[in-house]
Amino acid sequence: MSQWELLDTGEIPGNSGEMQLHQLGNEFSISVVGVGVLMSTMAHGSEDALAEVACKIVADRPHPRVLIGGLGMGFTLAAALRHLGANAEVVVAELVPAVVKWNRGDLGAHAGHPLQDARTTVREGDVAKILKAERRAYDAILLDVDNGPEGFTRKKNDWLYTLDGLTGAYSALRPMGLLAIWSAGPSRDFTERLHKVGFEVKQSRVWEHDNKGDLHTIWLAERGP
Ligand SMILES: C[S@@+](CC[C@H](N)C(=O)[O-])C[C@H]1O[C@@H](n2cnc3c(N)ncnc32)[C@H](O)[C@@H]1O
């Protein structure tokens, strides 16, 4: 196989288009049809870091609960499980059912099949629904559903980055809980929005992979007591 081969296509719910899984040798990529590559197995340093910055802080809390949106290729989920102990619980919300199916197959081997870990629960659906419904439920919420505050997969994800969406995340966190958000680039407006909601905010730049590639942005926002 010397060219990327299309393995499968899955619908993005809410008439938001389609995603495709491609393979070249042992590598996989997931793309949004008509938009571009969302992620690939060849670069996941900043996805790992998203989990590390928050999970290493909450790991020692009693029975830590972590929410991840979305699953992607499972690298953030696998990193969260690595940094958490045996008494932790990780809920991963994934909008696209096909993405969950792909992770249960050969693609899942790249992240070490984190869906098979007994601490993992998958919820197929929009992470926004969980943020609207749950209160004081999570020690950490890790959001990597899109390209960051500037949407990419679907317009409806914009809500997550608004004052309303961030207030939902704040309420879904337990006291002193942490919200970690991945983005392709920085946004001063977004940092101000996090402050407005009441978070203490730290922002870091993280290499795409192995100190190489693009620099991505991670916000780590802490809720008050
Ligand atoms: C960039 S990928 C995440 C990559 C992931 N951090 C990893 O380590 O592989 C974004 C994922 O979020 C999912 N997604 C997009 N919008 C979502 C939403 N509103 N709720 C839950 N999942 C969503 C996409 O289908 C995709 O699987």
Side-chain angles (χ1 to χ4, degrees), residues 74-140:
F75 292 115
T76 301
L77 171 60
L81 293 166
R82 276 198 301 278
H83 290 284
L84 294 167
N87 61 347
E89 185 190 340
V90 183
V91 175
V92 57
E94 172 52 52
L95 181 71
V96 180
V99 169
V100 177
K101 183 181 83 177
W102 299 337
N103 275 272
R104 294 199 196 282
D106 291 345
L107 167 64
H110 278 269
H113 287 294
L115 291 181
Q116 292 176 8
D117 191 296
R119 296 169 291 169
T120 303
T121 305
V122 187
R123 295 208 204 154
E124 285 189 12
D126 191 337
V127 69
K129 220 170 153 184
I130 298 178
L131 298 183
K132 286 174 185 167
E134 299 201 23
R135 296 287 166 267
R136 293 180 171 240
Y138 298 99
D139 294 285

Side-chain angles (χ1 to χ4, degrees), residues 25 39 50 59 82 108 110 127 140 166 178-179 183 189:
M39 69 169 304
L50 177 71
R82 276 198 301 278
H110 278 269
V127 69
L166 295 174
L178 294 166
L179 171 66
S183 173
D189 285 356

Side-chain angles (χ1 to χ4, degrees), residues 12-13 19 30 32 38-40 43-44 46-48 50 68-79 92-97 99-100 102-103 111 123-129 142-147 152-154 156-157 160 182:
I12 306 173
M19 274 191 193
I30 293 179
V32 179
L38 186 59
M39 69 169 304
S40 99
H44 53 85
S46 59
E47 285 82 0
D48 297 350
L50 177 71
I68 301 177
L71 174 62
M73 296 186 155
F75 292 115
T76 301
L77 171 60
V92 57
E94 172 52 52
L95 181 71
V96 180
V99 169
V100 177
W102 299 337
N103 275 272
R123 295 208 204 154
E124 285 189 12
D126 191 337
V127 69
K129 220 170 153 184
L142 318 178
L143 282 187
D144 179 15
V145 293
D146 226 303
N147 227 21
F152 177 62
T153 310
R154 71 201 266 270
K156 282 187 194 153
N157 278 342
L160 292 166
W182 186 98

